[in-house]
Amino acid sequence: MTYVSSFEILAENLVPTAIIPSGPQNPFLIQGFFVEVSCLAQSARFNLIFQETTDFKQGLGPKALFAQIIDSGGNVNPYNNFFASTGRGFLNIGIASGQTLIFGVQCLPQLVGADEDESLLPQAGTGWRGTVRLDGPPSGAIIATPTQRLVYYTGPNPKSDSVITASVYGVPTASGGTVL
């Protein structure tokens, strides 16, 4: 077991709506967590486990979380087994030598369904924090690079509100390096 980093997944206003005066724009932030994994060995199998302190049940909960794997061809593949067991994450993943995959988790309020108002977020937002660990591959077989990806919208509904800006930044790893 190797800890990769901490993570944070958010869908909330940049400033809590209760404390901002009327008038200034208060962007709505969607922040996802992504881990780029490259294989240095001939091949490897691993689990990428997300350990969150409230078991992803606070706020909008699992119904608003979107897990995905971006394959070596750049295709985005939804990963519907993220909550399939007590090991929340990407389980029993195979990767070939020289291959790079990207694993992402983000909160998308528009996924909660038409029967609920996705613009009504608890406490002007929802979010999860915790740690990510990699189980299974031999030491030195994997390079893992975590990033946060942020998109700022004019309002709380990414289906209809305009994008203001976006950014990506690296997250420090637990070991200080990326070879695990």
Side-chain angles (χ1 to χ4, degrees):
M1 170 177 71
T2 303
Y3 281 95
V4 176
S5 70
S6 59
F7 75 88
E8 182 177 54
I9 299 165
L10 301 172
E12 64 186 18
N13 287 98
L14 187 59
V15 177
T17 55
I19 66 169
I20 193 168
S22 62
Q25 185 176 19
N26 188 11
F28 188 78
L29 166 66
I30 299 286
Q31 176 175 295
F33 179 81
F34 293 78
V35 180
E36 184 176 307
V37 175
S38 297
C39 183
L40 302 173
Q42 288 194 334
S43 66
R45 295 201 82 71
F46 61 89
N47 298 319
L48 191 62
I49 305 293
F50 286 66
Q51 180 64 50
E52 200 271 335
T53 57
T54 57
D55 199 25
F56 292 103
K57 292 190 171 130
Q58 69 183 18
L60 293 176
K63 63 188 169 196
L65 282 171
F66 179 69
Q68 63 195 10
I69 300 173
I70 303 172
D71 66 23
S72 58
N75 302 305
V76 176
N77 303 290
Y79 184 77
N80 298 323
N81 294 329
F82 190 83
F83 295 105
S85 72
T86 55
R88 306 290 192 238
F90 300 91
L91 307 176
N92 198 29
I93 302 296
I95 188 168
S97 177
Q99 187 178 42
T100 297
L101 305 173
I102 300 173
F103 301 87
V105 182
Q106 54 197 344
C107 178
L108 300 177
Q110 68 267 33
L111 295 178
V112 297
D115 59 332
E116 297 181 52
D117 183 355
E118 64 264 8
S119 66
L120 296 176
L121 294 171
Q123 300 172 2
T126 190
W128 303 271
R129 292 163 186 86
T131 57
V132 177
R133 73 176 195 266
L134 192 71
D135 294 341
S139 181
I142 297 285
I143 294 175
T145 308
T147 60
Q148 295 283 184
R149 298 181 185 187
L150 302 86
V151 180
Y152 295 90
Y153 293 89
T154 56
N157 190 341
K159 285 195 287 190
S160 60
D161 295 322
S162 300
V163 171
I164 298 171
T165 190
S167 64
V168 176
Y169 64 88
V171 176
T173 61
S175 67
T178 59
V179 177
L180 304 177

